[in-house]
Amino acid sequence: MQVLSRLWKREWPLHLMLVPGLVLIVIFSYIPMAGIIMAFQKYVPNKGLFGSPMIGWRNFQLLLDYPDIGRIFFNTVYIATMKIVTGLLVPITIAILLNELRREWMKRTFQTLVYLPHFLSWVLLSGIIVDVLSPSSGVVNQLLGLLGFEPVFFLGSNDWFPYVMVVSDVWKEFGFGTIVYLAALTSINPSLYEAAEIDGAGRIKQTFHVTLPGMMPIIVLMLTLNIGNVLNAGFEQIFNLYSPPVYESADIIDTFVYRMGVQQAQFGFATAVGLLKSVVSFLFISLSYILAYRLANYRIF
């Protein structure tokens, strides 16, 4: 007890610093969870949360009977999976290439340049992407025209739109991911490279036999933790770039919930869709932490 008392006297300022964050979490994360009851109601705004009639599982039945729900879930998983895979491969590749640079100023310059887009919002980036990919005046289509190709309406084509989302997301975020893998590279014992060089291994063989095995724990960890994002395809990005002509390939769960709930005022139905997504995401996140513990010995507590 005396030890605990001393620890409390020494660390109470640190606990006090947690209070504002805990208050914000309670206000914005836990109190709004009372709205889950709307998933089981025919919600009427003027009757409020506790005055609207209960309809049980009818909203979920409507969800399962909705004609486009399969396509919406497929779009979500398809785009999110491509983002997870490319968001893993590209930062690893860039981190290895940056690690090969021997001039420190050059390494830091490139690292800063690729990291900057992470701080830009999708509202700003969407305007840039629209201008760059414009079929009439965009830089990309002008280059295609010089090469003899017809202009491509990237943001208006169901064939191209998902890949534009993946490429633009990777361009924005790979700099942030690169930092994680550069940190992993610093933990590799330099004597392993010296031993490989003595054995006659060149830089490519050293990459495959020393660098990648040394990075494997953090690679496995990042991959397993990203499993929980398999239903998060990026609402802000897609919302700012999609349009009705590409709903077939661009409509995801989050944009569907926005249209049903905010634009069409089907609050109960939209809440049911969001609740189903949250439950499935919770299961994926639980699975990802189990895999992270078993494969990478990562644990929170």
Side-chain angles (χ1 to χ4, degrees):
M1 292 299 294
Q2 293 180 351
V3 174
L4 292 176
S5 178
R6 287 198 300 269
L7 287 174
W8 171 253
K9 289 181 180 179
R10 187 182 66 185
E11 297 180 358
W12 73 265
L14 300 177
H15 290 83
L16 189 62
M17 291 172 62
L18 294 174
V19 172
L22 291 174
V23 171
L24 291 176
I25 289 175
V26 171
I27 294 175
F28 293 105
S29 297
Y30 284 96
I31 294 179
M33 289 180 69
I36 290 175
I37 194 175
M38 293 168 59
F40 306 95
Q41 292 179 326
K42 182 177 177 59
Y43 182 76
V44 181
N46 61 358
K47 293 184 178 180
L49 191 62
F50 301 104
S52 299
M54 300 292 295
I55 59 173
W57 297 92
R58 193 177 304 170
N59 285 323
F60 294 93
Q61 185 62 46
L62 291 173
L63 169 62
L64 296 177
D65 294 338
Y66 194 81
D68 294 330
I69 195 63
R71 174 180 56 79
I72 292 169
F73 270 89
F74 173 79
N75 291 342
T76 304
V77 175
Y78 182 61
I79 295 175
T81 302
M82 286 196 296
K83 286 184 177 181
I84 291 172
V85 174
T86 54
L88 186 73
L89 295 178
V90 174
I92 292 173
T93 303
I94 299 300
I96 293 174
L97 293 175
L98 286 176
N99 192 56
E100 293 297 318
L101 293 176
R102 291 295 173 258
R103 297 178 182 272
E104 192 65 27
W105 67 267
M106 188 178 296
K107 180 188 296 186
R108 293 185 180 277
T109 300
F110 278 111
Q111 185 176 343
T112 302
L113 290 176
V114 300
Y115 187 54
L116 285 177
H118 172 75
F119 296 100
L120 302 178
S121 70
W122 277 115
V123 176
L124 175 62
L125 287 179
S126 62
I128 297 174
I129 293 172
V130 168
D131 289 337
V132 170
L133 298 181
S134 171
S136 58
S137 59
V139 175
V140 174
N141 276 300
Q142 288 182 0
L143 292 175
L144 291 177
L146 293 175
L147 296 174
F149 295 100
E150 293 293 328
V152 179
F153 192 6
F154 291 98
L155 296 179
S157 169
N158 284 303
D159 295 329
W160 284 101
F161 190 87
Y163 305 107
V164 173
M165 296 301 98
V166 174
V167 172
S168 58
D169 181 76
V170 170
W171 169 69
K172 182 178 185 295
E173 299 295 344
F174 81 91
F176 182 80
T178 299
I179 294 176
V180 177
Y181 298 109
L182 282 173
L185 286 170
T186 61
S187 65
I188 300 177
N189 191 341
S191 62
L192 295 176
Y193 291 104
E194 297 173 1
E197 189 173 357
I198 292 173
D199 290 339
R203 299 305 299 177
I204 294 179
K205 287 188 176 180
Q206 290 178 32
T207 299
F208 283 101
H209 296 284
V210 178
T211 304
L212 287 177
M215 296 172 66
M216 195 54 64
I218 191 65
I219 292 174
V220 173
L221 174 61
M222 297 302 293
L223 178 60
T224 52
L225 293 181
N226 280 330
I227 293 176
N229 293 321
V230 74
L231 292 183
N232 293 319
F235 171 76
E236 296 89 351
Q237 177 195 22
I238 294 178
F239 177 75
N240 283 287
L241 290 170
Y242 83 149
S243 57
V246 292
Y247 277 177
E248 181 181 344
S249 64
D251 202 14
I252 60 173
I253 296 175
D254 292 331
T255 56
F256 178 66
V257 169
Y258 173 82
R259 289 204 316 278
M260 293 294 105
V262 177
Q263 294 183 341
Q264 300 185 21
Q266 300 183 33
F267 302 109
F269 180 73
T271 304
V273 179
L275 178 58
L276 179 61
K277 178 200 170 185
S278 298
V279 171
V280 176
S281 297
F282 173 76
L283 295 176
F284 276 118
I285 290 172
S286 300
L287 175 63
S288 69
Y289 277 111
I290 293 173
L291 292 175
Y293 173 69
R294 294 187 179 278
L295 298 177
N297 198 28
Y298 172 84
R299 58 192 303 174
I300 301 177
F301 303 108

